[in-house]
Structures are given as C-alpha cells and as structure tokens.
C-alpha cells in the first residue's frame, strides 16, 4: 500500500519557509503572547526561539494551521522556562544567620526574594488597585485592563468597535481618575 504523499511542509526547508512567512505576518502578536506568558523579556525571547526550532523540526501540518500550532508551542515553551527558573530559584534559597551566630563563620548571603511581609504588602496594594479600578467608568476600566494585558490600540478598536481617539481618551481619563483615587486614598491613610 502506497503511503500518503508528503506535504511541502514535511521537509525542514518547507517548514522554515512557512515559519518565515508566519513571523513576518504574525511576529508582533507571537511576541506579545510569549511576553504575557513569561516572567521577563529575555525568557520571552528564549521561548519564541525554542518554539521556532520546534516548528522547523516537528511541524507536519499545512500553513493554515501553523499559527495555532506555533502559538500553543510558544506558550508551552514560556511556561517550561518559567518552571525551570522557579525550580532554580527555589534551590538558591539560603538560610540567613544572625550576626551573633556568624562570629568566626563565613557569612552566607541570602537570596533576594521577597519575604512574607513584602508579599502581604504587595497583595494588599493589588487589592486596593483592583478596588480603585472598579470605581472607573466601564469603558475606562476595559481599556486600561486590555492595555495592561498587552493588547494594542488597533486590536482594542477591532474588539470593541472603537476609534483610536476613543481608546486614547478612555486610557488618559482612566489613568487620571486612578491617580486622583490613589491620591485620595493616600490622604485618608
């Protein structure tokens, strides 16, 4: 029985050509996806490179499904890098010693991770910010949240049916209102 004919994308050169077209067309969107799933920009670039290498080595489909495949693999690469970094970070945790205990001993520096007090403080600040966001007008809140998630003005306009001017006005007025609310919170404290 004869096998199915291989698609053009079955060879590495065909996959590389598809990848090149994808990156020229969808590169900024893919970078936003990996940035939103990574801890920092360097990890995001590493994840995108890993995903591109995986695409050239393993992708078997046609060009129509390529962006979905590459997006999923890029997210998974970003998550894997994040897990590795967290594991490596947890193995770097070193116990600190009191100065009285350190006499005659080498002092071992502790890592720079936040302690419980800092984590609680950040969580409280986040709760306050969420509460303040809730006081904004719905369009202002939506605009600021979408911008915070890395969605471009063009994409917001497409999603919501808004003009660039409306998006810009909602963002500016929402930020100004947040500053006013935060200043008011600071005066009450």
């Amino acid at each position: 029985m004869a096998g199915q004919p291989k698609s053009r994308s079955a060879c590495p050169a065909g996959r590389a050509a598809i990848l090149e077209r994808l990156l020229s067309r969808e590169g900024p969107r893919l970078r936003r996806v990996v940035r939103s799933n990574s801890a920092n920009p360097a990890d995001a670039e590493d994840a995108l490179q890993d995903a591109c290498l995986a695409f050239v080595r393993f992708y078997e489909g046609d060009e129509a499904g390529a962006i979905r495949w590459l997006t999923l693999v890029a997210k998974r690469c970003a998550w894997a890098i994040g897990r590795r970094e967290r594991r490596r970070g947890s193995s770097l945790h070193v116990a600190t010693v009191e100065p009285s205990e350190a006499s005659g001993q080498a002092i071992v520096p502790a890592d720079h991770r936040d302690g419980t007090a800092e984590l609680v403080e950040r969580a409280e600040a986040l709760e306050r910010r969420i509460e303040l966001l809730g006081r904004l007008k719905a369009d202002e809140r939506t605009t600021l949240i979408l911008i915070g998630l890395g969605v471009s003005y063009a994409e917001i306009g497409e999603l919501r049916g808004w003009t660039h001017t409306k998006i810009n006005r909602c963002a500016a007025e929402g930020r100004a209102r947040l500053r006013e609310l935060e200043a008011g919170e600071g005066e009450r404290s």
Side-chain angles (χ1 to χ4, degrees), residues 15-31 48 52 63 67 70:
R15 290 188 291 254
I18 291 173
L19 179 63
E20 190 175 323
R21 287 190 297 273
L22 270 179
L23 290 176
S24 68
R25 193 174 60 236
E26 300 285 341
R29 188 180 76 75
L30 281 167
R31 281 186 172 73
L48 187 56
C52 290
E63 194 161 346
I67 188 63
L70 186 58

Side-chain angles (χ1 to χ4, degrees), residues 33-75:
V33 167
V34 292
R35 264 190 246 126
S36 68
N37 286 281
S38 299
N40 58 56
D43 288 352
E45 278 302 312
D46 289 345
L48 187 56
Q49 288 177 8
D50 291 351
C52 290
L53 288 173
F55 186 90
V56 171
R57 290 181 66 203
F58 302 114
Y59 185 69
E60 292 293 331
D62 59 357
E63 194 161 346
I67 188 63
R68 288 188 304 271
W69 191 95
L70 186 58
T71 302
L72 178 63
V73 171
K75 284 181 186 180

Side-chain angles (χ1 to χ4, degrees), residues 156-168:
I156 294 171
E158 190 177 306
L159 285 170
R160 306 295 294 183
W162 295 344
T163 64
H164 184 83
T165 304
K166 176 174 172 93
I167 297 164
N168 198 33

Side-chain angles (χ1 to χ4, degrees), residues 68-87:
R68 288 188 304 271
W69 191 95
L70 186 58
T71 302
L72 178 63
V73 171
K75 284 181 186 180
R76 289 179 177 173
C77 289
W79 298 336
I81 289 170
R83 280 192 304 272
R84 271 196 309 268
E85 291 300 316
R86 282 190 300 279
R87 264 190 251 121

Side-chain angles (χ1 to χ4, degrees), residues 96-115:
T96 58
V97 290
E98 292 296 319
S100 61
E101 298 173 359
S103 57
Q105 298 177 7
I107 296 179
V108 180
D111 64 359
H112 299 290
R113 289 185 291 169
D114 291 336

Side-chain angles (χ1 to χ4, degrees), residues 128-138 140-141 177-178 180-182 184-185 188:
R128 282 192 303 273
R129 179 57 67 98
I130 290 170
E131 179 191 334
L132 295 178
L133 273 172
R135 295 184 191 173
L136 298 178
K137 294 177 184 175
E140 293 171 351
R141 181 175 47 250
R177 179 74 175 131
L178 268 180
E180 287 174 13
L181 292 169
E182 286 175 338
E185 290 282 316
R188 278 191 244 153

